Amino acid sequence: MESRCPVALDITGKDIHAEAEHLRSLGPATLIELPGGVTAWAITDYETLRKVLTDTRVTKSARAHWPAFTNGEIRPDWELISWVAMDNISTSWGSDHKRLRRLVGKAFTPRRIEAVRPLIVQLTNEILDALAATPPGEIVDLRQQFAYPLPARLVADIIGMDETALAKTAPVINMMVDTTVSPEVAHGILMGWRDAMSEFIASKRANPGEDITSDLIAARDDEDGGKLTEGELTDTIFAILGAGSETTINFLSNAVTNLLTHPDQLELVRSGEKSWDDVMEEVLRAEAPLASLPLRFAADDVDLDGVLIRKGDPILVNYLAAGRDPKLHGESACEFDITRADKEHISFGYGPHYCLGAGIARLVGAIGLSTLFERFPDINLAVPAEELQPLPTFIMNGHRSLPVRLHARVPAEAH
């Protein structure tokens, strides 16, 4: 059943939904070609993906389990180098992953998540107050002026980063998810984010505060006696910043787009018949903001329903495809429908690498979306939905911009 003829991924990401459908039709695991001619296995089937994400023979550590990376076959300017060269909570395995997850997890307990609620409300109202000054009829890029600043400023606050430092890292994060970049740019991205993080961490060492970066800097030994290395510190802070902002930006943009193109469903929320939780879970299912995550690796041979993934082979998990798997959600799996009873998804991951920030992301979504539609009840798209341009990537699922007209607005004090 195994095929060794790889399917070349479209690096421009012009139709990642169609590509996911095609890959799923080829079987539970399909050999693909990544940028630079690197081959990997794409997993698009929901149940198969759940198995892979919990299989102890599958890890995220290129250093430990990807021979092509450790022996130098993967160039330092490979287009996706930043995704595998990191040494952090996202790419660690075994005891190192448990140690880092314990350290970072302290910032994402239910109590600390709830403690950021007032800040999310404050940031949301500040951003929407600025939008309220828009002249009537003027087109606003809601991605740039709402979906981006809300999670970006929130995560920056959580890690203790000021707006100047955030401005330095934002372009690097944007380029990192762009799968059309050249090798030269890819190498520059890796150097750029590491330099920016090193500079930021040096400033936090000199001026610690009440934030996760200061906590991690101060960390010495955890209960197992393992230390947080400088590389792990730098790369983990960057991972928190990137994962906490980029995915939520796309989530907010996708949610607004789908509500504006399904006004009957938006009305169900306005009437109270359906909740914002219904909206969020359906967006996460049908429009997973993280489409495909590079990379995992087989630490040993893995058989997936007759497809042999050999020891050392890289694996690309496709969350977007899994959420729309018709074997789980039937013939309507590709349709956005907040009324569906089963909205099961794994867009926050599954197993040992489940997203620590899922609780905060849901809080941002609920507060941000509900407040946006309360303040601007007549908001509508300024262009037909089919004219929205996808991001130039197969990693993220989102649009380059989200042009809308806000129309009449309700003052913040009215709520």
Side-chain angles (χ1 to χ4, degrees):
M1 292 179 64
E2 180 181 342
S3 170
R4 301 299 298 187
C5 183
V7 176
L9 287 191
D10 179 7
I11 62 172
T12 68
K14 66 177 180 291
D15 194 344
I16 53 179
H17 284 302
E19 186 166 66
E21 292 285 330
H22 174 61
L23 291 174
R24 194 192 302 109
S25 73
L26 300 177
T30 303
L31 197 65
I32 58 170
E33 182 180 314
L34 299 171
V38 174
T39 56
W41 292 96
I43 311 297
T44 53
D45 175 88
Y46 179 84
E47 284 301 329
T48 305
L49 187 50
R50 278 169 54 106
K51 293 176 185 176
V52 167
L53 295 179
T54 54
D55 195 319
T56 56
R57 297 168 298 175
V58 176
T59 84
K60 294 186 73 176
S61 175
R63 288 176 174 79
H65 299 116
W66 194 15
F69 178 75
T70 55
N71 67 19
E73 290 179 46
I74 302 301
R75 310 183 317 267
D77 63 350
W78 181 47
E79 289 87 338
L80 300 179
I81 190 64
S82 287
W83 292 93
V84 298
M86 290 187 288
D87 183 13
N88 60 25
I89 188 173
S90 296
T91 59
S92 57
W93 72 290
S95 59
D96 284 334
H97 179 251
K98 292 177 182 177
R99 170 175 54 85
L100 291 171
R101 196 169 177 92
R102 276 196 300 271
L103 287 169
V104 177
K106 295 174 183 177
F108 297 98
T109 62
R111 179 183 61 83
R112 296 191 73 168
I113 290 173
E114 188 59 30
V116 303
R117 180 186 292 272
L119 178 59
I120 297 172
V121 172
Q122 175 190 331
L123 290 174
T124 300
N125 282 317
E126 286 179 1
I127 293 166
L128 296 182
D129 285 346
L131 285 177
T134 305
E138 184 172 306
I139 294 176
V140 168
D141 180 357
L142 206 64
R143 175 183 173 87
Q144 185 62 32
Q145 295 179 251
F146 171 72
Y148 164 73
L150 177 54
R153 289 173 60 185
L154 175 65
V155 176
D157 185 89
I158 290 172
I159 66 174
M161 177 177 281
D162 62 27
E163 292 194 17
T164 301
L166 178 61
K168 290 182 179 179
T169 58
V172 178
I173 293 173
N174 290 339
M175 288 190 293
M176 184 175 167
V177 302
D178 185 341
T179 51
T180 67
V181 297
S182 66
E184 294 77 16
V185 171
H187 186 260
I189 292 169
L190 179 62
M191 296 299 101
W193 70 253
R194 281 191 163 156
D195 287 347
M197 286 296 102
S198 295
E199 182 180 335
F200 166 61
I201 288 170
S203 71
K204 295 304 296 183
R205 275 204 171 94
N207 299 284
E210 297 293 324
D211 53 71
I212 188 174
T213 303
S214 298
D215 290 346
L216 292 178
I217 289 172
R220 293 295 181 262
D221 297 299
D222 71 0
E223 58 207 57
D224 291 336
K227 291 184 176 180
L228 183 72
T229 69
E230 191 69 17
E232 289 171 337
L233 171 64
T234 301
D235 293 6
T236 292
I237 294 300
F238 181 74
I240 294 171
L241 178 63
S245 57
E246 192 68 24
T247 52
T248 312
I249 293 165
N250 291 322
F251 165 79
L252 291 169
S253 178
N254 291 340
V256 172
T257 302
N258 277 277
L259 288 172
L260 294 183
T261 52
H262 297 82
D264 55 331
Q265 297 188 43
L266 176 57
E267 187 54 38
L268 291 177
V269 182
R270 292 190 194 278
S271 68
E273 189 172 340
K274 291 297 174 180
S275 69
W276 287 107
D277 284 342
D278 288 317
V279 172
M280 290 190 294
E281 296 311 308
E282 181 63 356
V283 172
L284 289 166
R285 183 202 69 80
E287 295 288 354
L290 177 60
S292 296
L293 180 61
L295 279 170
R296 281 173 165 79
F297 310 92
D300 204 343
D301 287 355
V302 178
D303 186 283
L304 294 176
D305 298 327
V307 177
L308 178 65
I309 298 182
R310 297 187 177 94
K311 180 179 180 180
D313 282 357
I315 299 168
L316 184 73
V317 298
N318 192 315
Y319 296 110
L320 188 70
R324 292 186 169 206
D325 189 340
K327 291 195 293 294
L328 178 65
H329 293 295
E331 294 182 359
S332 67
C334 293
E335 299 173 12
F336 181 81
D337 181 7
I338 66 172
T339 69
R340 73 172 69 242
D342 181 11
K343 303 178 181 68
E344 186 173 346
H345 64 82
I346 47 175
S347 294
F348 284 121
Y350 189 70
H353 284 277
Y354 182 81
C355 178
L356 283 170
I360 289 182
R362 283 191 167 98
L363 203 55
V364 171
I367 294 171
L369 291 172
S370 62
T371 310
L372 172 70
F373 282 95
E374 286 171 0
R375 295 282 301 273
F376 300 98
D378 299 319
I379 183 175
N380 69 301
L381 287 175
V383 299
E386 57 271 19
E387 292 184 12
L388 296 174
Q389 297 298 307
L391 292 170
T393 177
F394 57 75
I395 296 174
M396 292 293 171
N397 173 31
H399 298 109
R400 296 173 189 248
S401 64
L402 184 58
V404 302
R405 288 188 174 87
L406 300 172
H407 301 293
R409 44 198 174 263
V410 179
E413 55 269 19
H415 299 282

